[in-house]
Every structure is written in C-alpha cells, then in structure tokens.
Amino acid sequence: MVQDNRFRVRYRLKADSAAEAEKRATGIALEQTVEIPGDIVPEGYISNEIVGQVEDVAAAGPDTYKATISYSPDSAGEEVVQLINVIFGNSSIQQNIRVIDFEPGPEIRKRFSGPRFGIDGVRARTGRVRGGLISPVIKPQGSNVSQLADIARRCVLGGADIIKDDHGLANQRMAPFRERVTAVSEAVGEANAKCGGSACYFVNVTGHSGYPIDEAFQAKEAGAGGVLLMPGLVGFGVVYALSRDKSFDLPIMTHPSFTGPFVLTPETGVDHGLMYGVLQRLAGSDISVFPNVGGRFGFSVEECQSIAKACRDPEGVGKAMMPSPGGGMSVERAGDMVSMYGEDVVYLLGGSLLRAGDKIGEAVSAMRDAVDQLSAT
Amino acid sequence: MVQDNRFRVRYRLKADSAAEAEKRATGIALEQTVEIPGDIVPEGYISNEIVGQVEDVAAAGPDTYKATISYSPDSAGEEVVQLINVIFGNSSIQQNIRVIDFEPGPEIRKRFSGPRFGIDGVRARTGRVRGGLISPVIKPQGSNVSQLADIARRCVLGGADIIKDDHGLANQRMAPFRERVTAVSEAVGEANAKCGGSACYFVNVTGHSGYPIDEAFQAKEAGAGGVLLMPGLVGFGVVYALSRDKSFDLPIMTHPSFTGPFVLTPETGVDHGLMYGVLQRLAGSDISVFPNVGGRFGFSVEECQSIAKACRDPEGVGKAMMPSPGGGMSVERAGDMVSMYGEDVVYLLGGSLLRAGDKIGEAVSAMRDAVDQLSAT
C-alpha cells in the first residue's frame, strides 16, 4: 500500500502501443489538473503536488491498457463537484478512456464522510430491522394530489418501508410540489399511525425554484421522511450539501436519470459500480437506485452485482449504503432477487404494481411476505 | 406545421423491423412520462395529454429508425431540469437511443426565455462591437491568487474581451474562492481603467458551499463580470435560475466538463448540437464552451459547426448565444477559425498561451490583431 495522502483513479484506455498508452496517461494527468502542456508546468508545488502523477500503465488486452494516476487532495478541496471534475471532467470528452476504479486515500476519506445514515440509519428510520426493504413508487405523472396520497396510504398499510415519488413528479400544475408533499406526507403519517408502521416518504426534489436545497427543506417541513435526488440533473453537490447538513438530517435516495450514457459504452464513461455505487456514496447518498437486471434496461447480472458491491463495500468511503434495484421485482422473482442481493437492499416496485389498482396494498403485502419468508430461511 | 402547444423530441433508435421500432418508440413515450405499462394508463387527461405521443417512425438506414414523440408542457412545468428529464431522463439508460432533435413549440418558448444577454448582450458588456471575442483562460490550478491576478491583468492589457477562470479553479487552499475572485476582479478592473477596456472576468462557480447560486452572487459582489458554470456537474437548473434572476444580471458561460459520454457514441446520448447548443441555450447560457476541432479532443468540423449553428439558430429558443470553441486557436490558424465560425464567437485561448510567460499580453495582442484584421476584410 502506498502511504501518502493522494487519491488514485484507474482508467482503461485504448492505445496502439505501450509508448502511446504512456503518452495518453500523461495527457490525462495534465488534462485533469493543470490543463497546460507538460513542458511549461511551473516547478515546485504545482509540478510536485498538483499535477496528476502516472503511477502505472499496464497492458490489459488488445490495444487496451490500464493506467493508475494519483492526484492531490488539494486539487479537489472539500467539494464533491470538484473531486469528480478532477477524476474525469474534461477527459470524459475524449474517446476511449473509461474510469474503472477509484481509491480515495486517507485525506479524501477524512474530508468526505459519505452517507449520513447508510444501511443501519435507513433501517432505524424505517423500523425494518432485517430483510429487504420494499419501496413502492407513487405515480403516474398527471395524477392529482389526492390520487397520489391514496396510493401512498394503501402502500403503507400493505407494509411498504419507503414510499418513493416517481422521479417524474416535479412541480407540475396537476400536483404542485408543496401540495403533493403535504398531502402525501399526511397520508403516510396517518397510515403509519393506523398500522403501527414507520414508513418514510421520499420526496423527489428537482429544484424548481433553482434552489434544490431550499426545496428539500420545504419537503422536510411538510413531513417528508427523505428526499429523492437525480445527480445527473441536479448535480452531486446537492447530495453532498444535504448529507452534511445537520439541520436537514433526512436520508437521501439518488436516482439514475440522465446518467445512462456514462455507463452504456464500455470504451467511454465510468464503470457501473463507480457511477451507481462509489460516486453516490462519496456524495453522501444513503440509497442508490439503478435499473435492475431483467427489467426494461439491459444491465447484466454482473453489472448489477458490481453496483451492489460498491454500495456495500467495507472499504468504501464512509458508511455502507443500500443498493436499490428498480424494475424486475415480483413475487415470482423474489427468490432470485433475495439470493442475488441479500438483505441490505431496497426493492423498488414500479409501474407494474399499479396493475393491482385498488388492491395495490394487497400487492405490496404479498411482496412483503415473499421477501420476509425468504429472509427468515 | 403542427399547431398545438406540445414540444417534440426526435430520437434515432435501432430496431430489427418497423414493428419493433414502433414498439420501441411507444416504450420511450411511456418511459419519459408515466413510466407505467401502456395498458394501465388512466383514461382522460393522463392518456390524452400527459403520455408522450408517437407521431412518426421512419426508417433511416440499416436497422435504424427515427421517431418523433410529442410531450405536454404540463410534464415539464416551468423547470429546465424537469424538461430535460422528460426529453431523455430514463431513456438515456437504454442502449441504442439517441436524441437528435428538439422542437420546443409555442408554450415551451413562452416559458423558457433562453439567454438573458445572448450575442448582443455579451458584446455590449465587453464593448466588442464586432469581430470575434478573445478569452484567455487564467490557470494553472495550484497558482496563487496574485499569480492568477497577474495573468489576468496582462491579458486585459493585451486586448482580451473575457478573462475566464480555468474550470479547475474552485475553492482550493492555494487560491480560495473569495480571495481569488476579489484579487482577479480588481486586477481586471485596474487594467480596464488603464487601457480603456471593458474586459469581463468570468468566475468559475462550483458551489463549494452547496449553494452555487449564492456563490455566483458572491462572485458578483466581488466584481465578477460573468460566471462560468459546468452543467454536467452542477446541473442545468443553476444556469436557468441565474439567467432569470434580475438581481443577478451577469452573463453566463457554460463549460462541457463531465458531459463527454453524452456525445461520444453515435448510438447513445445526445447529438453535439443539442448538448452544446440547444440545451445550453434553453437553460439560459450566453456562451457555450466546447472542444474545438484540431485540439486534444476529437470533435469533427461538422460536429463543431453543428454546435455553432445551434447556438445561433434564428429558430432557437430566445436570443442567439455565442459558441466558444476551446483549443486549437493560434495566430496561424486564425484565418481558418474565422472562416469556420464567423464573427459571433468567443475564442478560448488556453494552456498554450501560457507558453508566452511574461509576454502573455503580447500573445493576446497578436491574436487580437489577427482576428481583427480578418474580420475587417
């Protein structure tokens, strides 16, 4: 193990030769820090500390190399936005470079404390001591406030742990933000009281006023038990700020909207586990939503497992977080899912749940039973 | 022309047959709005208005189709974040779907006014009535505040129109945000006074406090003439909020950091002109930075031209904005650049400018002369 304060990023890149690969790696190290040609980098602090240092370049297949570059925590400061900017900001625009690993090092671990709640904290808030959590999604967009509240109420009575807003619920005229949050929070609270539950309502916060953080606090005041944020659209900085704000103190679920191109092409972007595990956790998310295998999106079993692993990696930054596979869950598939994801997981129950209509509570209850039976064995 | 209030998105997708293409298009229309199976979409308002409507699916090559889908402005509300969420949020995670065109329609045009300044406003602020604008970048990261201020001063005296922060300057200990902004603003102001110039200093705002908008106002108070924002990292919502805030009233330049994977693979993501033209302008950016042809990034002439076209398209949303190609500009290439981009353009002068050392002012001046001579002919 290297004993210094730097953080390390591993890239997979294409090159015609080892010499070309070295040159590309050096290019990344400059691009991600000083962004000036190597021969005019000022000596001293900038050259010794700030410029990325290529530590290793090794062949990894035909025309393929893996390069490890170390960076100074001084480049990132205390900001997750700037840290990601250093990891892959401009180099994301070059062909055939993919981020495949990130090692924070001691200083970044100190500065970035990760999730406020993590797995244990989410369990404490929802009262689900063991077994997978169940999170029905209230939708569709276009429903009015009382329709959404009614679905939420039925789902809580059915045994849901988390009621999640559809990520398409923002501040639309059929269900304005404040009205939606107030009505659904009340419905969830009443249903909790009735059944002795502790279900939490996670409000989708898009920042319609331009201030997502203010909007998150509005949600809290209206009774929300958590927030849903889309880092691809609102930025990782919002996740980071809210997770560190003691007066906010609600768990955060992050959603993958508008991040697909980062993972879909193996030659560019960022590995699945990094995008939906490492970066979410680094920013301070407690629950990371991603498209489950077998649903409408083409993620493989291995890709989904790499995400779950990164979310819960004991070596990761701060507390372990909950992976939350969306889609592909049903009573019939519950056995497969539990054996794939284990206990520390939030199962999203999406659009197909609505097929149950007025019996949506019973559908949630059936899922609850299926997961509990499997966890008990 | 269709006469209704809906906005339209055109997607290019892969499919084995026309029937499969229709099915995929219907899938996108559902995914981007209600996110529930088509057979359980509630009748009435949701079915008639909210669900995306597939208007056209046409063959466009081997296994390739183009689909036009219309959406309700009610889905987007008044938010750019939610509008982008509808355009491509979840479908961005599916293979072989690319956004290739966007037609706002009358209602979105009314709600989204686009850039506050646009080309004419940026010219008015910088005093550059005609010809291309020149924007040296102050860097490298790791420099102290007085070093950055000194570079800025020299560049203003050399005839720069815009002094742009390197996008890697955030809130680091060697040049903390407030100190940097204050010192560089003063240097730019003094140099303007000395040479009778109106150069504007564009401050990189990353939102280290979690509140990029507050930070933008801090920059304004410290004397900034504009802000630089990275929508890929801080979100388009910040651009939108600041562009509409009358009390802010400074031009906005946007930077492409952490957006590369959206454009690099032709089968996924978003076309170049949409990412670096249409979406930036829709959000309210006045100047869009993108990697120029011939620099370190592999954008083609056609891709760069499509970006410039979208920035200045008379049919676009709101005022026309300035394209700002980064890299690849030199006195020798000025002729090619002017014939490629015309007059309404901001040329970024990046790392290679620093090669001039103490003579950086003279280097800016030489570029100024080269561009002016070409514009005068």
Side-chain angles (χ1 to χ4, degrees):
Chain A
M1 281 292 287
V2 187
Q3 292 295 333
D4 62 26
N5 276 330
R6 298 173 74 82
F7 62 93
R8 288 168 173 79
V9 183
R10 180 168 283 197
Y11 305 90
R12 185 174 61 229
L13 48 85
K14 295 260 180 201
D16 294 337
S17 64
E20 168 77 9
E22 285 279 355
K23 200 177 149 196
R24 287 207 78 186
T26 303
I28 297 170
L30 292 165
E31 186 73 53
Q32 293 309 108
T33 53
V34 291
E35 216 193 321
I36 57 176
D39 63 309
I40 57 169
V41 173
E43 288 184 13
Y45 173 71
I46 296 179
S47 176
N48 299 334
E49 174 71 20
I50 290 296
V51 174
Q53 294 173 3
V54 179
E55 300 194 335
D56 185 57
V57 180
D63 297 337
T64 304
Y65 295 81
K66 290 182 181 176
T68 304
I69 300 178
S70 78
Y71 299 101
S72 171
D74 281 3
S75 289
E78 312 253 344
E79 292 176 71
V80 74
V81 159
Q82 176 58 14
L83 177 56
I84 298 173
N85 200 19
V86 175
I87 292 172
F88 203 44
N90 265 13
S91 291
S92 82
I93 319 174
Q94 293 193 331
Q95 288 286 3
N96 295 314
I97 303 175
R98 183 163 173 107
V99 181
I100 57 170
D101 204 3
F102 171 73
E103 165 50 46
E107 185 59 30
I108 293 297
R109 281 180 196 276
K110 206 185 298 172
R111 295 186 194 177
F112 294 80
S113 45
R116 170 177 292 269
F117 292 88
I119 291 171
D120 294 343
V122 169
R123 287 198 179 281
R125 284 286 168 112
T126 57
R128 181 68 54 196
V129 181
R130 56 166 304 198
L133 276 67
I134 291 187
S135 175
V137 183
I138 57 172
K139 54 167 92 175
Q141 185 187 98
S143 304
N144 65 34
V145 163
S146 67
Q147 289 166 328
L148 295 170
D150 184 60
I151 297 171
R153 187 178 56 76
R154 290 172 189 271
C155 289
V156 173
L157 295 176
D161 301 296
I162 289 173
I163 302 296
K164 172 189 160 292
D165 268 346
D166 183 61
H167 77 286
L169 299 178
N171 182 48
Q172 295 111 334
R173 70 177 179 85
M174 46 286 194
F177 180 79
R178 274 182 186 273
E179 291 175 34
R180 176 183 98 238
V181 178
T182 305
V184 177
S185 295
E186 281 175 12
V188 169
E190 285 165 17
N192 274 334
K194 194 168 175 183
C195 67
S198 312
C200 294
Y201 169 37
F202 278 58
V203 173
N204 187 34
V205 166
T206 57
H208 63 269
S209 61
Y211 293 83
I213 292 178
D214 288 356
E215 204 170 303
F217 274 95
Q218 287 168 21
K220 180 185 165 87
E221 282 156 28
V227 288
L228 178 70
L229 297 168
M230 300 177 282
L233 286 164
V234 302
F236 282 97
V238 179
V239 181
Y240 183 64
L242 285 172
S243 71
R244 291 166 78 96
D245 192 326
K246 283 181 188 153
S247 63
F248 183 62
D249 199 37
L250 288 182
I252 297 166
M253 180 185 253
T254 45
H255 188 283
S257 181
F258 208 60
T259 61
F262 278 94
V263 300
L264 291 180
T265 306
E267 289 79 21
T268 62
V270 174
D271 267 0
H272 292 72
L274 274 159
M275 176 51 83
Y276 302 119
V278 174
L279 295 185
Q280 311 295 330
R281 187 167 159 182
L282 190 63
S285 171
D286 300 290
I287 305 167
S288 176
V289 175
F290 61 92
N292 196 13
V293 62
R296 305 181 299 281
F297 303 87
F299 285 19
S300 68
V301 169
E302 292 70 26
E303 287 161 353
C304 291
Q305 282 173 330
S306 75
I307 295 167
K309 184 168 178 289
C311 287
R312 302 185 294 211
D313 184 357
E315 301 295 311
V317 167
K319 294 173 183 162
M321 70 187 296
M322 291 268 193
S324 182
M329 181 62 168
S330 62
V331 170
E332 295 72 31
R333 289 195 68 205
D336 291 345
M337 291 296 103
V338 171
S339 59
M340 180 169 170
Y341 291 111
E343 293 215 353
D344 294 327
V345 58
V346 176
Y347 294 110
L348 290 196
L349 304 179
S352 56
L353 194 69
L354 286 188
R355 198 177 293 284
D358 288 349
K359 301 226 180 327
I360 195 166
E362 287 86 331
V364 170
S365 187
M367 192 72 73
R368 176 79 270 156
D369 290 344
V371 171
D372 285 350
Q373 278 189 326
L374 288 157
S375 301
T377 55
Chain B
M1 281 295 286
V2 187
Q3 292 294 332
D4 61 28
N5 276 331
R6 297 174 74 81
F7 62 92
R8 287 169 173 80
V9 183
R10 181 168 284 198
Y11 305 89
R12 184 173 63 230
L13 49 85
K14 295 261 179 199
D16 294 337
S17 65
E20 168 76 10
E22 285 278 354
K23 200 177 149 197
R24 287 207 78 185
T26 303
I28 297 170
L30 292 166
E31 186 73 53
Q32 294 308 109
T33 53
V34 290
E35 216 194 320
I36 57 176
D39 63 307
I40 58 169
V41 172
E43 287 185 12
Y45 173 71
I46 296 179
S47 176
N48 299 334
E49 173 71 20
I50 290 296
V51 174
Q53 295 173 4
V54 178
E55 299 195 337
D56 185 57
V57 180
D63 297 336
T64 304
Y65 295 80
K66 291 182 181 177
T68 304
I69 300 178
S70 79
Y71 299 101
S72 169
D74 282 2
S75 290
E78 312 252 344
E79 291 177 70
V80 74
V81 159
Q82 177 56 15
L83 178 56
I84 297 173
N85 200 18
V86 175
I87 292 172
F88 203 43
N90 265 11
S91 291
S92 82
I93 319 175
Q94 292 193 333
Q95 289 286 3
N96 295 313
I97 303 175
R98 185 165 172 105
V99 181
I100 58 170
D101 204 4
F102 171 73
E103 165 51 45
E107 185 60 29
I108 293 296
R109 282 180 195 277
K110 206 186 296 172
R111 295 186 193 178
F112 294 80
S113 45
R116 170 178 293 268
F117 291 88
I119 292 170
D120 294 344
V122 170
R123 287 198 179 282
R125 285 286 168 113
T126 57
R128 181 68 53 196
V129 181
R130 56 167 304 201
L133 276 68
I134 291 186
S135 175
V137 183
I138 58 171
K139 55 166 88 171
Q141 185 188 98
S143 304
N144 65 35
V145 163
S146 67
Q147 288 167 329
L148 295 169
D150 184 61
I151 297 171
R153 187 178 56 78
R154 291 172 189 269
C155 289
V156 173
L157 295 177
D161 301 296
I162 290 172
I163 302 295
K164 173 190 160 292
D165 268 346
D166 183 60
H167 78 286
L169 299 178
N171 182 48
Q172 295 110 335
R173 69 177 181 85
M174 45 285 193
F177 180 78
R178 273 183 188 271
E179 291 175 33
R180 175 182 99 237
V181 178
T182 305
V184 177
S185 295
E186 280 176 13
V188 169
E190 285 166 17
N192 274 333
K194 193 167 173 182
C195 69
S198 311
C200 293
Y201 169 38
F202 278 58
V203 173
N204 188 35
V205 166
T206 57
H208 63 270
S209 60
Y211 292 83
I213 292 177
D214 288 356
E215 204 169 302
F217 273 95
Q218 287 168 20
K220 181 185 165 88
E221 281 156 29
V227 288
L228 178 70
L229 296 168
M230 300 178 282
L233 286 164
V234 302
F236 282 97
V238 179
V239 181
Y240 182 64
L242 285 172
S243 71
R244 293 166 78 97
D245 191 327
K246 282 180 188 154
S247 62
F248 183 63
D249 199 37
L250 288 182
I252 296 166
M253 179 185 255
T254 45
H255 187 282
S257 182
F258 209 61
T259 60
F262 278 95
V263 301
L264 291 181
T265 305
E267 289 80 21
T268 63
V270 174
D271 267 0
H272 291 71
L274 274 159
M275 176 50 83
Y276 302 119
V278 173
L279 294 185
Q280 310 295 329
R281 187 168 161 183
L282 190 63
S285 171
D286 301 289
I287 306 167
S288 176
V289 175
F290 61 94
N292 196 14
V293 63
R296 302 182 302 280
F297 303 86
F299 285 18
S300 69
V301 169
E302 292 70 27
E303 287 162 352
C304 291
Q305 283 173 330
S306 75
I307 295 167
K309 184 168 179 289
C311 287
R312 302 185 295 212
D313 184 356
E315 301 296 312
V317 167
K319 294 173 183 164
M321 70 186 297
M322 291 269 192
S324 183
M329 181 63 167
S330 61
V331 169
E332 295 72 32
R333 289 193 68 204
D336 291 345
M337 291 296 103
V338 171
S339 60
M340 180 170 169
Y341 291 111
E343 294 215 351
D344 294 327
V345 58
V346 176
Y347 295 109
L348 289 196
L349 304 179
S352 57
L353 194 69
L354 287 189
R355 199 177 290 287
D358 288 349
K359 301 226 180 327
I360 196 167
E362 287 85 333
V364 171
S365 186
M367 191 74 73
R368 176 80 269 155
D369 289 346
V371 171
D372 285 351
Q373 278 190 328
L374 288 156
S375 301
T377 56

